[in-house]
Amino acid sequence: MGRVQAELKIDDEAEGGASGPVPGVQALTRGVQLLELVASAATPPRFTDLLEGSGMPKGTLHRILQALVDERLLKLDGRDQTYRLGSRLFQWAHRVWDDFDLRGAAEPELERLRDLTGETVRLGILDGDGILYIDQREAPQPVRLSNGVGSRAKPYASGLGKAILAHLSLEMRRRLLGETELQRLTPHTIADFNELISQLDLTKARGYAVSIDEQNVGISSVAAPILDHEAKPLGAIGVIGPSFRLPPERLHALGRDVIEAARRISGNIGEVAMSLNINPRPLGADRDDVCCAIPASLFLGEGPHWSVQDQQLYFVDILAPSVCVGDPIKGSYRSWPMPELTSFLIPRKGGGFIAGMQSEVRAIDPSENESLVLARPETNRPGNRFNDGKCDRRGRLWAGTLAIDTTPGQGSLWRLDPDGRVHAMDRGFHVSNGLGWSPDDRLFYFTDTAKQTIYVYDFDSETGTIENRRVFVTVPESEGKPDGLTIDAEGFVWSAHWDGWCVTRYDPDGRVERVINLPVPRPTSCVFGGADMQTLFVTSARIRLSAAQIADAPLSGSIFAIETGIKGLPENVFGG
């Protein structure tokens, strides 16, 4: 560490720090500040970014950066002159986790959750082929449970077990569960391996697991995994109690609280891009031109598609997998459950629909419970799922993917032609999302929610190709995250802002033209519809909102209608 010591001394003497009580402390603090700036940046920062973010003199910044690079605490990518965390930090991280005291770190969270919920809270680890409970805090009015600290449970039937299993690789799941018959402990236990795998993928996407009468009749739980620096499960923490005190709606409302507790235990080391915090609710009364068109309690309402022919709104609930058809005039909808994560539903020219399932695009007829696989493009990435999807004016489907646990850089953009051919159009996205085309078919828009960015490409309608990707708009975090989008007849882009309580209209140059506030924090997507195509329908979500947040925004998960006075573009159907 001689170089770092030398640089600290030089920097301290240069800025008067040598007269302080501990030589080098100021420079050391600044070095830690730089490491934090690099670690928290959405994209690897350049020197100018760090200069602006740190407020340091240029010479001081250069010297400290060079010292950190020399000691492998940072690395400089010569291709684009950006800084990333260095290998020595990861070597140290492994040593930290080798000595990690899970029980000690979890103790305050066990007590906090017990006091918050009034229920028993447990800490468990995967031990061999079972879950071992290693700590517990009893509820003020405890219910008699058949097991406690030191006892074991079947992982596939308990909340803690499913939270851990969901974050193991498919290979590890099969090795752990596939060689033995799943025992049906109660009438509600999932005893089919393939059904269990689908439920674990759903758990991974939600961020928490629920167990309702699966281990013992009359006992329910909700749990979240405690992840290490490689996002591997160290254990899980969960709330457990009698089912009459923990009905499904309360279990899901507590999902956010157990995720938050798990992240605190690990110091947010294994945190993934599942947002828990929402921006403050906008001040002022609700707008008169915004109404709740279809009251609902969707976990993650998404993929709205207005059918001009049927005058109905199609949409999905990704995290309570179902496809839905709604009538905004009557304010009602019908839904059909789906066997796995389902992200969009689009009519087909030949009848029926295409749906973006977990890893497949299928032709489906939900009323007849029929489906046919049309494409399975990501066979090499079983941990991915489809997200938003739309069809261009030639009937080609465009759909993006992302990692179920939102691991960065795993998402791709695909094109499925009506004749069944599949094309990879772009890669390296974090959370693939809203997409659409300009009225003249010369531009294609595509969103990466986690990067706060809507991109725009040059589009060739004849060949179905895209090129020259550039940033259309980057949304400040204070305004939420860009989610689904649609484009009106004037070429303006409408984007729903997750955690932002609003929909924003951007002009063709990316300037904000208007912001329409909504009574829910998590609008997810939008589409034009109605008899005159001037009504903007907006889907929303209630997933990972706390009970207090839902009480403040009780319409979360509903469909909203905004009378814009602006004509939208009709949605296209799949040409196959």
Side-chain angles (χ1 to χ4, degrees):
M1 296 292 289
R3 177 60 183 269
V4 169
Q5 292 171 344
E7 293 294 346
L8 294 180
K9 182 177 180 182
I10 291 171
D11 186 68
D12 211 39
E13 291 175 348
E15 302 196 21
S19 61
V22 182
V25 167
Q26 186 180 37
L28 178 60
T29 301
R30 289 179 169 182
V32 173
Q33 178 190 0
L34 289 175
L35 291 173
E36 178 62 29
L37 284 173
V38 173
S40 60
T43 57
R46 293 182 170 84
F47 183 88
T48 52
D49 300 320
L50 296 174
L51 188 65
E52 179 181 356
S54 67
M56 297 181 192
K58 182 180 287 188
T60 300
L61 176 62
H62 178 77
R63 290 196 302 274
I64 297 179
L65 283 175
Q66 187 59 53
L68 293 173
V69 169
D70 289 346
E71 296 298 336
R72 293 183 292 114
L73 298 174
L74 289 179
K75 62 179 180 180
L76 175 62
D77 190 330
R79 295 171 299 178
D80 55 7
Q81 295 298 302
T82 58
Y83 288 89
R84 293 170 169 81
L85 296 180
S87 60
R88 178 165 287 186
L89 290 171
F90 294 100
Q91 294 171 2
W92 290 348
H94 281 285
R95 295 177 187 175
V96 170
W97 288 108
D98 287 343
D99 297 329
F100 184 68
D101 177 10
L102 181 59
R103 286 188 63 187
E107 182 176 359
E109 290 307 309
L110 290 168
E111 296 177 355
R112 188 185 67 84
L113 267 183
R114 178 201 58 195
D115 295 343
L116 174 69
T117 64
E119 302 292 347
T120 296
V121 181
R122 282 180 171 170
L123 181 70
I125 61 173
L126 183 63
D127 182 55
D129 61 352
I131 293 299
L132 175 65
Y133 297 124
I134 63 173
D135 208 348
Q136 177 173 297
R137 295 295 181 275
E138 293 282 356
Q141 296 179 334
V143 62
R144 182 176 295 276
L145 300 172
S146 61
N147 48 13
V149 175
S151 62
R152 300 172 67 86
K154 298 291 186 183
Y156 58 87
S158 68
L160 273 73
K162 290 197 287 186
I164 293 173
L165 289 176
H167 286 77
L168 298 177
S169 67
L170 182 59
E171 179 183 352
M172 292 185 67
R173 292 180 196 168
R174 291 187 182 278
R175 192 161 57 239
L176 186 66
L177 302 172
E179 297 179 357
T180 59
E181 182 178 355
L182 300 181
Q183 182 182 355
R184 191 176 292 278
L185 306 175
T186 76
H188 304 282
T189 305
I190 299 174
D192 178 80
F193 182 77
N194 291 327
E195 182 183 353
L196 177 62
I197 293 300
S198 293
Q199 284 296 310
L200 293 178
D201 286 337
L202 180 59
T203 291
K204 196 171 187 177
R206 286 176 175 170
Y208 61 88
V210 295
S211 173
I212 302 175
D213 300 334
E214 295 177 40
Q215 182 85 23
N216 302 100
V217 173
I219 301 297
S220 294
S221 64
V222 56
I226 301 165
L227 305 176
D228 68 9
H229 62 296
E230 295 180 329
K232 295 179 181 178
L234 297 166
I237 186 171
V239 176
I240 185 169
S243 298
F244 72 86
R245 287 208 306 254
L246 291 173
E249 59 270 19
R250 189 174 182 219
L251 290 174
H252 289 292
L254 290 174
R256 179 190 182 280
D257 296 307
V258 294
I259 292 174
E260 185 176 45
R263 290 184 178 182
R264 286 178 175 175
I265 291 169
S266 63
N268 288 334
I269 294 297
E271 181 180 353
V272 292
M274 293 180 180
S275 57
L276 296 182
N277 299 319
I278 60 175
N279 289 316
R281 183 169 188 157
L283 299 177
D286 292 343
R287 296 173 61 110
D288 293 336
D289 57 350
V290 176
C291 71
C292 181
I294 302 177
S297 298
L298 305 174
F299 280 109
L300 182 52
E302 264 285 8
H305 178 101
W306 177 259
S307 171
V308 174
Q309 179 179 350
D310 302 335
Q311 290 292 291
Q312 291 183 318
L313 185 71
Y314 298 105
F315 54 96
V316 302
D317 188 339
I318 298 178
L319 296 184
S322 56
V323 297
C324 311
V325 55
D327 186 335
I329 301 299
K330 295 180 179 179
S332 62
Y333 73 100
R334 294 174 292 157
S335 66
W336 293 266
M338 301 299 286
E340 59 188 54
L341 296 163
T342 305
S343 57
F344 59 81
L345 182 72
I346 301 172
R348 297 175 63 198
K349 182 179 179 181
F353 303 87
I354 57 169
M357 309 294 285
Q358 183 165 315
S359 58
E360 303 169 335
V361 177
R362 295 186 191 176
I364 70 168
D365 186 339
S367 63
E368 299 294 333
N369 197 27
E370 296 178 350
S371 69
L372 174 68
V373 176
L374 297 180
R376 189 183 290 118
E378 298 210 341
T379 54
N380 62 329
R381 288 186 174 175
N384 274 18
R385 71 169 178 87
F386 276 100
N387 202 30
D388 207 354
K390 289 185 179 180
C391 291
D392 65 23
R393 294 176 180 88
R394 299 294 184 97
R396 296 170 292 223
L397 172 70
W398 296 67
T401 60
L402 74 158
I404 292 176
D405 64 355
T406 63
T407 300
Q410 300 300 303
S412 298
L413 173 64
W414 297 92
R415 192 189 86 209
L416 171 63
D417 295 343
D419 62 8
R421 290 181 297 172
V422 179
H423 309 269
M425 306 306 296
D426 206 351
R427 298 185 183 275
F429 299 102
H430 190 165
V431 177
S432 301
N433 223 315
L435 64 167
W437 294 264
S438 61
D440 61 8
D441 252 357
R442 297 176 61 184
L443 299 174
F444 170 71
Y445 297 89
F446 189 61
T447 303
D448 191 327
T449 296
K451 293 182 179 179
Q452 304 281 143
T453 300
I454 302 173
Y455 297 104
V456 61
Y457 299 75
D458 295 326
F459 177 66
D460 187 322
S461 177
E462 183 68 28
T463 61
T465 55
I466 53 176
E467 61 182 4
N468 188 26
R469 183 177 82 184
R470 63 263 189 203
V471 172
F472 172 66
V473 66
T474 299
V475 177
E477 291 188 11
S478 61
E479 298 174 9
K481 298 178 181 294
D483 204 320
L485 63 77
T486 192
I487 299 167
D488 62 34
E490 299 174 11
F492 285 57
V493 176
W494 299 72
S495 173
H497 286 205
W498 174 274
D499 285 344
W501 300 82
C502 69
V503 173
T504 299
R505 186 188 192 221
Y506 298 97
D507 72 14
D509 293 321
R511 293 185 294 261
V512 174
E513 188 271 342
R514 72 182 68 181
V515 176
I516 299 178
N517 292 330
L518 297 168
V520 293
R522 290 183 167 167
T524 56
S525 192
C526 51
V527 68
F528 278 95
D532 57 4
M533 289 296 293
Q534 294 186 15
T535 302
L536 188 73
F537 293 106
V538 184
T539 50
S540 68
R542 64 194 291 118
I543 189 68
R544 293 187 290 276
L545 293 178
S546 69
Q549 290 168 337
I550 291 175
D552 183 46
L555 293 175
S556 293
S558 298
I559 312 296
F560 296 87
I562 304 171
E563 298 305 325
T564 65
I566 299 169
K567 199 171 186 63
L569 296 171
E571 293 293 304
N572 305 302
V573 303
F574 182 61

